[in-house]
Amino acid sequence: MAAAGGSRYLLTIGRWRRSFGIAPQFRALAALVPGVSHVDNKSDFLGKRPHRRHPGILQLSCVRLPQALADAAQLLLLESAMPNMEKQVQALTNYLWSRHLPVEPEELQIRAVLLEKKILENADSCQTEKHHEEVLRTLRRTTYHWQELSYNEGLSLVYMAARLDGGFAAVSRAFHEIQARLPEFQPQTLMDFGSGTGSVTWAAHSTWGQSLREYMCVDSSAAMLELAEKLLKGGSGSGMPCVPGVFFRQFLPVSPKVQFDVVVAAFSLSELPSKADRTDVVQTLWRKTGHFLVLVENGTKAGHSLLMDARNLVLNGKEKSPLDPRPGFVFAPCPHELPCPQLTASKPLACSFSQAYHPIPFSWNKKPKEEKFSMVILTRGSPEEANRWPRITQPVLKRPRHVHCHLCCPDGHMQHSVITARRHGRDLYRCARVSSWGDLLPVITPSELPPSPAQDAPES
């Protein structure tokens, strides 16, 4: 089913067909996605590659931590001898996954005014003090109480056991998106805000280890920084680091002249106590971005909403970097800069993705897992430079002789497409059949539709 606005596109396409006479397979493709005309074969679309390796394939196989990192994590946990580690890991995982954003003071004030008005309508107006007490009691009972986590040595170890492997998998998938689509991009510097256990550094080294020469890890927790450094040195504080060029600090670089090729904030923005703090951090991170700003959060409604706020802040921001005044646009996952159709739907959903990974082989952690996450990758330049293929936003349903794909389209709408070889051509059908959740479907919007005199004339 096409989202709102699809009928307008299909009507336009129908008039275009009557006026110019499109081949049957192109007619079917035009009805597939609003504004889409054909498979993207303008520049040797497949060449000699099989369909299973079409250029929209972006999914990674099951990710595994570097052996040195897994060994160091196991050694540190063994040396700590912390009791009930499995229960602590499960409790922290559940807490982080169910966490909401903190309630803003403005929203709390609005709730208080509405509650007070409702209570006064049904009570004696003389008992004002009791009314205020009742409002406060109701607010305490119904308001989510967000708490900042203080990562000391013990909690840092629990976080490492709970999130090191899943965080590595999610960030590896985000970096793979850049590497697969821009193999010529070879960054030299990277900054990780809220670096925690250092999983971003390890993922970046696995992706661009040949070119990266500087990794700046920023985290407010001294215990986390110490743990990340130990992981780099094989579990001790005196060994040689497995990844050269890594620097640790507790505060962001102040100088406006310092920029990094890649700036990352993975599972960090949700740790900030207010929207104002997130706004300041995102603006700072964007100023320090030379090429790519990579933001990753849990694949929940709260995580997705937070990332869309950051996305809108960069896209609508008037503040320009003194080193690079180019505006920003969305590199992934959105094929557009319009409002997210997942959030504006009647039933909002989180735009999330899934990455399989092998967990650290602790006693309770044996089977492969799936990391569900949301991401947004922003870059500098013009949107015309980006690939605008529709993004597959849910698992692909493969049925006999047809495939169901849920797509986020370049026109800013969601579309449920049923693709068959008979209606849509062998190439697109086979590409869709081998595609997965998170891949791009290789169909394009024509740069210019032929003008139709029939569009302005009443139909007979």
Side-chain angles (χ1 to χ4, degrees):
M1 292 175 62
S7 57
R8 171 171 57 86
Y9 282 91
L10 295 180
L11 177 60
T12 303
I13 290 167
R15 290 171 176 168
W16 187 34
R17 291 177 191 165
R18 288 192 294 273
S19 302
F20 291 87
I22 308 176
Q25 65 270 28
F26 280 5
R27 290 202 299 270
L29 281 172
L32 169 67
V33 181
V36 165
S37 63
H38 55 78
V39 174
D40 185 0
N41 56 6
K42 62 181 180 180
S43 55
D44 192 18
F45 165 61
L46 280 173
K48 296 182 179 180
R49 287 178 296 183
H51 291 86
R52 67 178 180 276
R53 294 181 183 173
H54 74 75
I57 296 286
L58 294 167
Q59 190 63 277
L60 275 173
S61 57
C62 198
V63 172
R64 190 185 298 272
L65 285 179
Q67 192 60 49
L69 177 58
D71 291 344
Q74 288 179 286
L75 177 62
L76 287 170
L77 208 60
L78 185 65
E79 290 178 346
S80 71
M82 290 183 65
N84 302 317
M85 177 57 77
E86 182 178 355
K87 290 183 179 179
Q88 292 189 63
V89 166
Q90 191 60 54
L92 180 61
T93 301
N94 292 342
Y95 174 74
L96 292 174
W97 186 254
S98 61
R99 208 177 190 192
H100 297 281
L101 296 179
V103 179
E104 297 297 319
E106 296 81 4
E107 183 182 350
L108 198 60
Q109 187 175 5
I110 292 172
R111 290 184 189 180
V113 170
L114 292 175
L115 271 173
E116 188 173 26
K117 183 178 179 182
K118 185 176 180 180
I119 291 170
L120 288 174
E121 288 175 354
N122 304 311
D124 185 358
S125 59
C126 297
Q127 298 178 330
T128 306
E129 187 174 342
K130 289 187 177 181
H131 297 160
H132 288 166
E133 291 176 358
E134 186 174 352
V135 168
L136 290 174
R137 283 197 303 270
T138 306
L139 285 175
R140 291 192 190 101
R141 189 177 65 252
T142 59
T143 301
Y144 177 75
H145 297 285
W146 186 90
Q147 288 184 329
E148 185 175 358
L149 291 173
S150 178
Y151 287 99
N152 54 25
E153 184 179 350
L155 186 56
S156 297
L157 275 170
V158 176
Y159 186 88
M160 178 198 73
R163 296 294 304 134
L164 177 62
D165 41 18
F168 177 88
V171 175
S172 294
R173 170 62 182 83
F175 288 164
H176 177 70
E177 176 96 19
I178 301 173
Q179 185 190 47
R181 291 170 56 184
L182 288 177
E184 69 277 9
F185 176 64
Q186 296 294 315
Q188 294 189 4
T189 58
L190 175 142
M191 183 179 75
D192 179 14
F193 173 77
S195 54
T197 55
S199 57
V200 168
T201 292
W202 288 88
H205 182 70
S206 298
T207 306
W208 296 298
Q210 297 299 318
S211 65
L212 277 170
R213 56 178 176 78
E214 180 185 345
Y215 307 78
M216 179 67 70
C217 297
V218 181
D219 200 292
S220 60
S221 168
M224 272 289 195
L225 293 177
E226 184 179 352
L227 176 60
E229 189 170 8
K230 284 183 178 179
L231 287 169
L232 277 174
K233 295 179 178 180
S236 70
S238 57
M240 289 294 293
C242 298
V243 179
V246 182
F247 303 92
F248 299 95
R249 58 185 300 163
Q250 287 186 273
F251 304 99
L252 284 166
V254 176
S255 173
K257 296 182 179 180
V258 177
Q259 274 196 330
F260 299 84
D261 294 333
V262 180
V263 175
V264 185
F267 310 101
S268 303
L269 296 180
S270 53
E271 296 287 344
L272 299 174
S274 70
K275 186 174 182 179
D277 289 316
R278 293 194 296 274
T279 297
D280 288 343
V281 166
V282 170
Q283 288 176 336
T284 301
L285 295 181
W286 180 242
R287 284 196 301 269
K288 297 195 174 299
T289 299
H291 290 90
F292 287 99
L293 174 60
V294 180
L295 306 176
V296 181
E297 289 292 339
N298 287 335
T300 60
K301 289 182 182 179
H304 176 226
S305 176
L306 186 155
L307 292 183
M308 291 303 98
D309 287 344
R311 169 188 184 269
N312 295 338
L313 187 65
V314 171
L315 295 180
N316 301 328
K318 298 178 180 179
E319 185 178 356
K320 295 182 180 179
S321 168
L323 299 180
D324 193 342
R326 291 179 299 166
F329 70 91
V330 182
F331 183 81
C334 324
H336 56 80
E337 279 70 45
L338 299 167
C340 177
Q342 298 275 60
L343 287 181
T344 55
S346 56
K347 294 182 178 180
L349 298 171
C351 179
S352 61
F353 304 95
S354 181
Q355 178 58 54
Y357 67 95
H358 294 284
I360 303 172
F362 299 128
S363 58
W364 66 87
N365 223 16
K366 298 293 186 182
K367 298 179 180 178
K369 294 183 176 181
E370 295 279 337
E371 175 72 8
K372 189 178 179 183
F373 65 97
S374 294
M375 69 174 179
V376 63
I377 304 175
L378 299 152
T379 188
R380 295 189 182 276
S382 169
E384 285 73 23
E385 302 171 13
N387 189 327
R388 291 315 202 189
W389 291 342
R391 176 81 60 173
I392 300 173
T393 60
Q394 295 183 28
V396 175
L397 300 178
K398 301 171 187 177
R399 298 293 183 262
R401 291 180 291 185
H402 69 281
V403 181
H404 292 258
C405 290
H406 293 265
L407 304 171
C408 181
C409 302
D411 69 346
H413 292 96
M414 299 299 297
Q415 177 117 0
H416 176 190
S417 301
V418 181
I419 304 169
T420 67
R422 181 180 177 184
R423 291 186 59 207
H424 305 112
R426 175 177 173 273
D427 277 340
L428 183 56
Y429 171 70
R430 293 192 65 180
C431 285
R433 197 161 188 88
V434 298
S435 296
S436 304
W437 180 12
D439 289 341
L440 299 171
L441 194 64
V443 286
I444 62 167
T445 302
S447 58
E448 183 178 359
L449 290 176
S452 171
Q455 288 186 11
D456 300 322
E459 297 185 21
S460 57

